[in-house]
């Protein structure tokens, strides 16, 4: 029988590193507080026993305020692991023990893995491990999870202690609280109130702490006892407020820290260096977060990240593209012309290939981000930019997602949406992932390039700058709008830890990068394959047979140019997508878009790259290489209804309309609900349409 | 009870001892969870380029908080 062991501890204390060292599993490790959100499981055999090891999310406390805390607490209460291995950051002992005490108060069987002993040593901190163990009454094993030092000793200690069942720790919270706790505990015991999973004193404490989760469970269990306990808690709260100007919650926390201090004071910790001396990490901070140098360096770092990603991924992206072109060509010669071939080439290879073609780019992007994250710099970026982003209801840490999505022009919203994972505050995170698609991803650039080349030849750079500014202003304003309507709520407290700078390990970077890239690849095989087939079908069916062509030509559709259309364009117009494009013309013409543009925009939902090539087909040019769109630009210049106003209206629409479906899938996944995926499609498209119509109408009115 | 000044008003490199934390609910809990409780010594480490948030050193670790959160924390300056 496997024995369940839970790894728990403060964020960034090395739980995942230890988990990987124990199980050999490859979990994501990062130097940014709160990287693990779900719990992860693995097994490990040692001392002739099989251990089921669960990596819990990092928490500072066991109140039920955040998702992480609820996940960790529920696991301990419901799954009752045989032992909790509490990873404690030895270089930050005092704060870390705060959580340890709370495990002990729950009556859990705890063993301390005293991690980061190397860091503690460098800071001149010596810890008397035996004394700590004696005073706390727990086994304590010093270790360095990063190198695996202490691993064997830890496993041995765990094996030796799994059968222990310690009594819940009783801390004195001062006369007033203790008396009330005793009374409450008595009633809880006699009523057997919630005592099935929880220890009685702990339930009483949670009533004093106003713990929402326990109060709710209590109300459902025995309403009478619940009322009585709540009244007791309220009375104590009033009493403390009038006599001591404090409240139970605050007092309980103070006493817990007091308890820790009293233990550490008994010679557990000794400093060989002045504890107030600036560690080298602080010295780096003096420069990297300096008033003037800080922002400059940050811009440099972001540019560097951008350069690194796009410059180095260019070659492998080319290989990927060549591979899929080759695959397409092979298929072309292998099968006879017909629907099946069209499905395989245009539906499957082009669709999935378009997504997989991004893999090298995503890999480099994540490698860069992982480096910033693991080194600790990302937390500093959040620190420096928080003031700006907070004005729009976002969080300092949102910046990374915006940059990755194309904030400087030419990123990709897919890794951008995934980069929001480093954001801990749920509301700010949702607002971020819904607004990053407004950035100018690499696939929108060819559209701008085409239109700018055709209509704004003399102002290329200025127009590109305006486009970038519009997308930022738009994204921030929409974030503000969302945060004051659908995702309303006060800002999540910023109280955050700045982890010390650490040199990322190669293993950590590799795991981190690969894990994220793999998630992206996996998606290409499933949802994206399905959607590309659907889009292909929409642009292919119903098919045009020769009779209908002549028929339509004789009947004479009122669409200008229908008579001169080439077969490709005619077939496209006849398809579902074509019909939709024409049907939409009744609305989109207010924004200046004809049906050809509509089809191209519909295609852009598959991938924004498709806009240019579809425009080419719809304007009867056959295949258009997005890199070489000069001929199409010439054609548009002379086309009826086209001019700078139409072009800019289309640019506006392209900035804001629905994210491509890969991004929509990611938004749905990352927000945990398809509701938000659908929302971003509908909301963004409506927003884009309104902006384009307003612009087009105003501009044409002013010019007339 | 000693009053102290609000943490927002402290200068960079100033040290002090926390005398009270007036925040309640989630914010109060978060502040305490990070070790900002009465009796702890802190030092203002620095401020972000736009003066907000502030970073401070406490019990060997570095914390950041926004000015409007620092308003709830009262410190007796050394
Ligand atoms: N110097 C040193 N660094 C360590 C040690 N253990 C872990 N680290 C580093 O500490 C950082 C955080 O480690 P993680 O394993 O991600 O921490 P975690 O507790 O899982 O963090 P969350 O999932 O965010 O709660 C990484 O950069 C690790 O490489 C250690 O013993 N010594
Ligand atoms: Mg982790």
């Amino acid at each position: 029988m496997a024995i369940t062991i839970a790894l728990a501890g403060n964020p960034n204390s090395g739980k995942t590193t230890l988990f990987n060292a124990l199980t050999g599993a490859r979990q994501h490790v990062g130097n940014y507080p709160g990287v693990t959100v779900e719990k992860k499981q693995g097994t490990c055999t040692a001392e002739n026993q099989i251990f089921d090891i669960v990596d819990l999310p990092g928490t500072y406390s066991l109140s039920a305020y955040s998702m992480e805390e609820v996940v960790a607490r529920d696991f301990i209460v419901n799954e009752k692991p045989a032992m909790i291995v509490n990873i404690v950051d030895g270089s930050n002992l005092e704060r870390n023990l705060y959580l340890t005490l709370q495990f002990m108060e729950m009556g859990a069987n705890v063993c301390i893995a005293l991690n980061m002993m190397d860091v503690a040593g460098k800071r001149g901190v010596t810890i008397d491990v035996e004394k700590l163990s004696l005073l706390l009454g727990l086994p304590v094993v010093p270790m360095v999870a990063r190198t695996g030092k202490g691993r064997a000793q830890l496993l041995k200690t765990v094996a030796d202690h799994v059968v222990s069942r310690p009594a819940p720790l009783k801390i004195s919270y001062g006369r007033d609280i203790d008396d009330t706790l005793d009374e409450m505990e008595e009633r809880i015991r006699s009523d057997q109130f919630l005592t099935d999973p929880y220890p009685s004193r702990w339930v009483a404490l949670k009533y004093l702490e106003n713990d929402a989760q326990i109060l709710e469970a209590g109300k459902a269990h025995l309403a009478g006892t619940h009322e009585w306990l709540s009244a007791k808690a309220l009375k104590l709260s009033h009493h403390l407020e009038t006599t001591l100007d404090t409240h139970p919650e605050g007092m309980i926390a103070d006493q817990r820290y007091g308890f820790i201090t009293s233990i550490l004071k008994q010679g557990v910790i000794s400093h060989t260096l002045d504890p107030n001396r600036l560690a080298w990490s602080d010295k780096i901070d003096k420069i990297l977060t300096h008033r003037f140098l800080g922002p400059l360096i940050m811009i440099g770092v972001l540019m560097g990240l951008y350069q690194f990603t796009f410059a180095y991924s260019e070659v492998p992206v080319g290989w990927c593209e060549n591979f899929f072109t080759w695959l397409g060509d092979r298929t072309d010669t292998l099968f006879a012309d017909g629907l099946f071939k069209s499905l395989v080439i245009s539906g499957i290879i082009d669709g999935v290939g378009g997504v997989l073609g991004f893999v090298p780019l995503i890999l480099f992007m994540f490698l860069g981000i992982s480096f910033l994250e693991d080194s600790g710099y990302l937390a500093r970026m959040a620190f420096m930019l928080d003031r700006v982003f907070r004005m729009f209801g976002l969080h300092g840490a949102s910046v990374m997602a915006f940059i990755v999505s194309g904030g400087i022009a030419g990123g990709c919203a897919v890794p951008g949406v995934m980069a929001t994972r480093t954001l801990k505050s749920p509301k700010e995170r949702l607002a971020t992932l819904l607004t990053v698609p407004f950035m100018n991803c690499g696939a929108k650039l060819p559209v701008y390039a085409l239109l700018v080349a055709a209509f704004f030849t003399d102002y290329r750079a200025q127009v590109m700058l305006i486009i970038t500014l519009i997308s930022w202003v738009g994204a921030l304003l929409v974030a503000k709008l969302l945060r004051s309507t659908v995702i309303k709520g006060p800002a999540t407290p910023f109280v955050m830890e700045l982890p010390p700078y650490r040199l990322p390990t190669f293993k950590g970077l590799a795991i981190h990068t690969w894990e994220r890239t793999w998630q992206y690849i996996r998606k290409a095989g499933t949802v994206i394959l399905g959607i590309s087939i659907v889009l292909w079908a929409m642009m292919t069916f119903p098919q045009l047979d020769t009779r209908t062509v002549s028929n339509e030509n004789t009947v004479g559709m009122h669409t200008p140019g229908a008579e001169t259309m080439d077969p490709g364009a005619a077939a496209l117009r006849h398809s579902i997508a074509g019909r939709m494009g024409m049907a939409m013309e009744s609305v989109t013409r207010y924004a200046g878009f004809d049906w050809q543009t509509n089809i191209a925009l519909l295609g852009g939902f598959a991938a924004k790259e498709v806009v240019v090539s579809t425009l080419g087909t719809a304007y009867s040019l056959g295949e258009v290489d997005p890199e070489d769109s000069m001929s199409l630009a010439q054609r548009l210049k002379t086309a009826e209804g086209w001019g700078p106003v139409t072009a800019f209206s289309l640019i506006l629409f392209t900035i804001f309309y629905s994210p491509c479906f890969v991004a929509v899938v990611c938004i749905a996944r990352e927000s945990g609900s398809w509701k938000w995926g659908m929302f971003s499609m509908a909301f963004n498209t409506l927003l884009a349409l309104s902006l384009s119509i307003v612009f087009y109408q105003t501009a044409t009115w002013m010019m007339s | 009870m000693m009053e102290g000044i609000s943490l927002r008003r402290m200068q960079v490199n100033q040290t002090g001892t926390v005398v009270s934390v007036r925040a309640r609910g989630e914010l109060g809990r978060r502040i305490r969870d990070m070790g900002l409780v009465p009796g702890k010594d802190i030092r203002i480490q620095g401020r972000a380029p736009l003066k907000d948030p502030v970073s401070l050193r406490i019990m060997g670790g570095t914390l950041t908080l926004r000015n409007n959160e620092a308003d709830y924390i009262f410190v007796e300056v050394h």
Side-chain angles (χ1 to χ4, degrees):
Chain A
M1 245 270 314
I3 299 167
T4 310
I5 306 291
L7 296 187
N10 278 194
N12 223 18
S13 57
K15 293 175 299 299
T16 304
T17 310
L18 179 61
F19 179 84
N20 289 340
L22 290 178
T23 62
R26 289 180 285 123
Q27 287 301 328
H28 173 181
V29 179
N31 188 16
Y32 191 93
V35 169
T36 309
V37 181
E38 308 126 353
K39 50 182 201 290
K40 309 261 164 83
Q41 246 156 322
T43 53
C44 150
T45 320
E47 310 280 323
N48 299 321
Q49 276 168 327
I50 302 170
F51 296 108
D52 248 336
I53 302 189
V54 182
D55 180 25
L56 294 179
T59 63
Y60 294 108
S61 171
L62 287 180
S63 53
Y65 273 116
S66 68
M67 206 46 226
E68 292 82 14
E69 295 183 6
V70 175
V71 170
R73 199 165 91 173
D74 283 353
F75 183 82
I76 292 161
V77 172
N78 300 330
E79 313 290 319
K80 299 201 180 1
M83 186 153 221
I84 295 177
V85 172
N86 179 197
I87 324 289
V88 164
D89 176 354
S91 65
N92 202 339
L93 190 57
E94 212 170 337
R95 217 242 356 258
N96 277 249
L97 287 178
Y98 186 68
L99 180 68
T100 312
L101 284 198
Q102 296 183 54
F103 287 131
M104 294 168 74
E105 283 186 296
M106 286 179 86
N109 184 20
V110 186
C111 159
I112 290 183
L114 195 58
N115 195 26
M116 311 251 180
M117 288 307 276
D118 55 332
V119 182
K122 273 187 214 136
R123 291 214 194 140
V125 179
T126 340
I127 300 169
D128 186 336
V129 175
E130 255 154 57
K131 196 173 245 171
L132 180 66
S133 165
L134 194 76
L135 290 171
L136 283 172
L138 301 175
V140 180
V141 183
M143 60 187 312
V144 181
R146 202 156 152 162
T147 61
K149 202 173 140 196
R151 177 183 180 272
Q153 179 62 33
L154 178 71
L155 284 168
K156 188 174 178 319
T157 312
V158 169
D160 289 348
H161 288 83
V162 273
V163 288
S164 319
R165 283 284 160 270
L169 171 74
K170 238 174 123 169
I171 297 174
S172 166
Y173 290 109
R175 265 275 303 287
D176 292 326
I177 294 187
D178 284 350
D179 289 351
T180 311
L181 273 179
D182 288 343
E183 273 179 68
M184 290 169 91
E185 205 186 339
E186 210 180 286
R187 173 84 187 241
I188 290 169
R189 240 192 247 136
S190 67
D191 290 1
Q192 302 205 331
F193 180 74
L194 295 178
T195 44
D196 179 19
Y198 309 107
S200 50
R201 193 177 177 84
W202 190 79
V203 173
L205 256 177
K206 291 293 139 179
Y207 264 84
L208 294 187
E209 285 183 314
N210 244 323
D211 185 287
Q213 199 195 11
I214 295 298
L215 290 185
E216 203 174 300
K219 196 169 177 185
H221 184 209
L222 286 174
T225 319
H226 166 79
E227 294 301 329
W228 188 87
L229 291 171
S230 304
K232 272 273 169 221
L234 196 66
K235 195 172 147 220
L236 177 70
S237 177
H238 280 314
H239 176 72
L240 290 180
E241 205 136 352
T242 45
T243 55
L244 294 167
D245 189 25
T246 175
H247 46 98
E249 244 190 273
M251 194 126 168
I252 290 170
D254 298 353
Q255 296 296 331
R256 282 194 189 128
Y257 275 109
F259 184 88
I260 296 165
T261 313
S262 70
I263 285 181
L264 297 185
K265 264 203 189 129
Q266 300 176 47
V268 172
I269 288 194
S270 46
H271 294 273
T272 50
L273 297 169
D274 173 12
N276 279 328
R277 138 204 100 91
L278 284 186
W280 64 277
S281 192
D282 302 321
K283 288 183 192 149
I284 298 179
D285 261 342
K286 286 265 177 261
I287 299 167
L288 293 190
T289 63
H290 183 269
R291 265 207 89 180
F292 303 112
L293 285 178
L296 286 179
I297 294 173
M298 183 165 55
I299 292 171
V301 168
L302 288 175
M303 298 293 255
L305 171 73
Y306 181 70
Q307 273 295 322
F308 169 78
T309 309
F310 291 94
Y312 289 97
S313 67
E314 206 170 300
V315 176
V317 165
W319 293 339
C320 276
E321 277 169 2
N322 289 343
F323 172 74
F324 285 105
T325 315
W326 171 83
L327 200 65
D329 290 348
R330 290 289 305 162
T331 322
D332 201 19
T333 54
L334 226 60
F335 299 106
D337 279 349
L339 269 186
F340 180 73
K341 186 160 113 179
S342 162
L343 168 69
V344 173
I345 296 180
S346 311
I348 300 173
I349 298 182
D350 283 0
V352 175
V355 174
L356 289 184
F358 278 127
V359 167
L361 191 140
I362 300 236
L363 198 118
F364 276 85
M365 178 70 81
F366 279 143
L367 184 62
I369 296 179
S370 303
F371 187 87
L372 294 186
E373 196 176 315
D374 291 5
S375 65
Y377 188 68
L378 194 61
R380 271 71 185 182
M381 279 176 58
F383 172 65
M384 286 190 277
L385 283 167
D386 183 65
R387 187 73 194 83
V388 180
F389 280 84
R390 196 203 325 162
M391 293 196 293
F392 301 97
L394 299 172
H395 187 280
S398 307
V399 65
M400 189 50 101
F402 280 99
I403 299 297
V404 172
S405 304
I408 313 175
C412 177
V414 173
V417 166
M418 299 207 272
T420 60
R421 286 196 193 166
T422 52
L423 267 156
K424 265 196 82 184
S425 358
K427 293 207 179 80
E428 283 88 341
R429 173 161 184 243
L430 188 54
T432 308
L433 66 84
L434 288 175
T435 48
V436 291
F438 295 141
M439 295 293 111
N440 297 308
C441 70
K444 290 181 190 172
L445 292 182
V447 184
Y448 304 146
L450 167 73
L451 296 170
V452 171
F455 299 101
F456 306 100
T457 331
D458 299 335
Y459 305 97
R460 283 172 206 241
Q462 288 91 327
V463 174
M464 284 313 280
L465 182 67
I466 290 173
I467 292 174
T468 309
L469 285 179
I470 291 179
S471 56
W472 270 98
V473 171
L476 292 176
L477 290 179
V478 169
K480 181 78 195 163
L481 176 76
L482 293 175
R483 287 285 280 118
S484 21
T485 53
V486 276
I487 333 174
K488 204 161 150 174
T492 315
F494 189 68
V495 191
M496 186 180 88
E497 201 182 352
L498 280 188
Y501 289 104
R502 289 195 180 102
L503 199 63
T505 59
F506 177 75
K507 189 181 164 202
L509 284 181
I511 291 173
H512 196 150
T513 308
W514 176 245
E515 193 191 45
R516 289 172 166 180
T517 310
W518 176 238
Q519 280 176 336
Y520 176 82
I521 296 175
R522 226 172 26 193
K523 217 167 298 141
T526 52
V527 186
I528 286 160
L529 179 61
I531 302 181
S532 5
I533 292 174
V534 170
L535 281 167
W536 167 82
M538 281 174 63
M539 295 177 84
T540 311
F541 296 107
Q543 280 190 301
L544 198 63
D545 57 47
T546 29
R547 220 184 47 226
T548 36
V549 176
S550 52
N551 213 356
E552 274 184 14
N553 279 347
T554 44
V555 172
M557 294 282 287
H558 44 267
T559 319
E563 310 79 44
T564 56
M565 233 186 286
D566 78 359
L572 188 56
R573 196 189 62 174
H574 191 73
S575 69
I576 299 179
R579 288 161 195 224
M580 284 169 73
M582 292 209 275
M584 290 188 307
E585 211 183 56
S586 58
V587 179
T588 58
R589 72 193 154 99
Y590 294 107
F593 308 153
D594 54 13
W595 67 270
Q596 285 100 322
T597 312
N598 289 347
I599 301 180
L601 290 170
L602 273 176
F605 174 64
K608 301 276 152 90
E609 288 94 335
V610 175
V611 174
V612 172
S613 58
T614 317
L615 263 183
T617 319
Y619 274 102
S620 312
L621 278 169
E623 286 278 296
V624 172
D625 180 359
E627 306 286 313
D628 172 36
S629 46
M630 267 336 282
S631 48
L632 181 57
Q634 290 306 329
R635 174 79 176 78
L636 285 183
K637 256 186 181 168
T638 53
E640 196 187 332
W642 277 90
V645 175
T646 315
F648 201 77
S649 174
L650 182 57
I651 287 178
L652 265 182
F653 193 84
T654 309
I655 296 176
F656 290 103
Y657 92 111
S658 170
C660 67
F661 71 73
V662 190
V664 171
V665 171
C666 286
I667 290 175
R669 218 193 98 100
E670 293 298 315
S671 63
S673 146
W674 268 98
K675 187 180 85 183
W676 290 114
M678 295 295 161
F679 175 86
S680 74
M681 279 161 61
F683 175 83
N684 295 13
T685 307
L686 275 178
L687 174 74
L689 192 62
S690 327
L691 289 174
S692 297
I693 290 177
V694 169
F695 170 78
Y696 186 78
Q697 294 301 330
T698 322
T700 34
W701 176 75
M702 276 173 21
M703 285 185 180
S704 61
Chain B
M1 221 174 145
M2 267 178 306
E3 270 310 304
I5 63 164
S6 113
L7 198 150
R8 182 204 278 262
R9 292 173 41 213
M10 285 178 76
Q11 308 293 319
V12 172
N13 284 330
Q14 246 181 355
T15 56
T17 306
V18 177
V19 286
S20 68
V21 176
R22 297 280 165 81
R24 294 213 172 180
E26 179 174 6
L27 178 61
R29 186 75 57 101
R30 288 227 189 187
I31 289 176
R32 288 189 197 92
D33 286 351
M34 303 304 282
L36 272 168
V37 294
K40 294 287 176 234
D41 288 340
I42 60 166
R43 192 184 68 231
I44 304 294
Q45 194 85 343
R47 283 180 193 277
L50 293 169
K51 296 277 172 207
D52 186 16
V54 58
S55 72
L56 54 91
R57 169 51 57 105
I58 179 162
M59 298 190 295
T62 309
L63 292 187
T64 62
L65 57 159
R66 292 174 176 155
N67 278 340
N68 59 2
E69 294 157 1
D71 281 340
Y72 293 97
I73 300 164
F74 291 85
V75 184
E76 192 196 48
V77 177
H78 292 170

